[in-house]
Amino acid sequence: MTGSSSVISSDDRRAGTPVVAEALRITGRNRRPVFGSAVLAGAAALLVGGGIVAGAFAASWGLFLEARRAAENAIEGEDSYVAYADQWDSLVKVAFCVYPLLLLVAMVLIAWLLTAQAVNVAYARERAAAGTGAATAPGALTLRALWRRSRPHLGAALRVQLLTLVCALVPVLAGLLVLQVVWWEMVPGVVWPTYHDPATVQFILVGRILPVVIWALGFVLLARFSLATTIRVADNSSATAAMRRSWTLTRTARLRTTGTWLLSTATVAVAFVVLKWLGTYVAHWAGLLMLATTDDNVWVTGVLVIITPVAVALALLPLALAPMGVLLACLRERLDGGTEEARVPSGAPIG
């Protein structure tokens, strides 16, 4: 290990405190920097992501107007029509430009959140080690100090997220390839079911169960590499070294790591569903405003109403992701060589 500094308290490990309880305690005691970093991430998602989506709407504005004219002409001529029939290909091209940009924004914000929470946990350990009554005990961690301590690690943290995404995409694409091969009827004895021909056992095994098993491998990879960012903060190692270390640490605690990852993922998923539901109320008023400003253009309004709940949920989701980052940082400490030592970022200035 590199970049080690002072040893910090490990009372929670000695007491056998569950890692989830420990993470909740640290989140509660350090809620200002934890949720402050989440608010910053949400604001960045709203500004940058919203700007990208607004640019996509501006680039597609003429297509929405053409769709409206085509529909009105078809209605006047008493002809049937398909929404966006002539504009669909162009809209898809715009989407293919927007999605990678939004994904990059998401990767940057996740890197920031995980890095900031690793720093928060390390700082909480510093305070515990110094003692609340000690004259040398550090004060509360401000957002400015949090940014100063996190900034040296953000580049490597972003590389960790990108490499993890690439690794997880391999089984995802492999599962999709299996589905496509089955659709093309290239697997002997496996035929895609139709209305008249129900699914056979062979199709269920190859066309349903096999892709799910392959996709589950991608989930396993995400779990095994989930500690890489907090390892980077603790050890000041490279992105690839942090990923290797994460793989090594989780090798002997696969069940514990997978369980913690499942709990975190389920919590974030529930939060996303709830926030998306709340976003429908925002979508309602946004749709009314769009109708009023576009002379009742239902084509652009329909798209806005569809994406607004998702956008609201994603902008607020950092509030759920931040405690998840604290949990992963605490889990890294528990698994790090089985020792009772935790490390703080090397060269990190005290708040």
Side-chain angles (χ1 to χ4, degrees):
M1 295 291 179
T2 60
S4 302
S5 69
S6 59
V7 176
I8 60 179
S9 174
S10 56
D11 293 337
D12 292 304
R13 274 178 294 246
R14 286 197 297 268
T17 305
V19 66
V20 175
E22 180 188 358
L24 290 175
R25 180 182 60 79
I26 293 177
T27 300
R29 291 184 178 180
N30 300 274
R31 53 187 176 274
R32 286 190 177 182
V34 170
F35 291 107
S37 62
V39 170
L40 289 179
L46 186 62
L47 293 176
V48 181
I52 293 173
V53 174
F57 269 97
S60 306
W61 198 257
L63 299 174
F64 291 122
L65 297 180
E66 290 179 10
R68 177 178 183 173
R69 285 192 295 266
E72 291 175 346
N73 292 334
I75 293 173
E76 290 177 0
E78 297 182 354
D79 297 327
S80 61
Y81 67 93
V82 177
Y84 309 110
D86 299 326
Q87 297 80 28
W88 183 253
D89 291 341
S90 298
L91 289 173
V92 169
K93 291 178 181 178
V94 174
F96 275 131
C97 295
V98 171
Y99 287 155
L101 294 177
L102 293 178
L103 182 60
L104 179 59
V105 172
M107 291 294 100
V108 172
L109 295 182
I110 290 174
W112 154 250
L113 284 172
L114 295 181
T115 301
Q117 307 328 313
V119 172
N120 276 322
V121 171
Y123 197 82
R125 297 301 192 197
E126 290 179 40
R127 297 186 68 182
T132 55
T136 58
L141 184 64
T142 64
L143 285 178
R144 179 176 296 180
L146 178 63
W147 166 254
R148 187 167 61 248
R149 297 182 63 154
S150 301
R151 184 173 55 189
H153 307 285
L154 290 179
L158 178 58
R159 289 192 292 273
V160 166
Q161 306 311 313
L162 294 175
L163 290 174
T164 302
L165 178 63
V166 170
C167 293
L169 278 178
V170 173
V172 169
L173 295 178
L176 293 176
L177 179 61
V178 170
L179 290 177
Q180 191 63 50
V181 169
V182 173
W183 174 258
W184 287 335
E185 298 184 356
M186 297 176 62
V187 181
V190 179
V191 179
W192 199 276
T194 62
Y195 180 77
H196 300 286
D197 299 320
T200 62
V201 175
Q202 293 88 338
F203 173 79
I204 294 176
L205 292 175
V206 178
R208 290 291 182 264
I209 297 179
L210 181 59
V212 172
V213 171
I214 296 175
W215 291 333
L217 295 177
F219 188 87
V220 171
L221 290 175
L222 290 177
R224 295 292 299 275
F225 291 134
S226 61
L227 306 182
T229 301
T230 184
I231 289 173
R232 154 67 196 189
V233 174
D235 300 340
N236 202 24
S237 56
S238 65
T240 53
M243 294 180 69
R244 287 195 299 268
R245 180 61 178 163
S246 178
W247 188 271
T248 301
L249 285 180
T250 56
R251 179 183 300 166
T252 56
R254 293 185 180 93
L255 185 60
R256 187 178 190 181
T257 303
T258 303
T260 303
W261 179 253
L262 281 173
L263 176 63
S264 302
T265 303
T267 302
V268 172
V270 170
F272 177 80
V273 172
V274 173
L275 293 173
K276 184 180 177 182
W277 172 72
L278 294 175
T280 57
Y281 295 95
V282 179
H284 172 73
W285 294 105
L288 292 178
L289 180 61
M290 182 61 75
L291 286 174
T293 56
T294 59
D295 192 21
D296 295 334
N297 188 330
V298 298
W299 308 101
V300 63
T301 302
V303 175
L304 179 66
V305 170
I306 290 174
I307 68 173
T308 296
V310 178
V312 171
L314 292 178
L316 296 177
L317 198 60
L319 295 174
L321 289 172
M324 175 182 171
V326 175
L327 177 59
L328 293 177
C330 292
L331 179 62
R332 195 279 310 171
E333 289 187 353
R334 296 292 183 93
L335 301 180
D336 196 359
T339 66
E340 293 190 350
E341 296 183 4
R343 298 172 177 83
V344 295
S346 62
I350 302 298

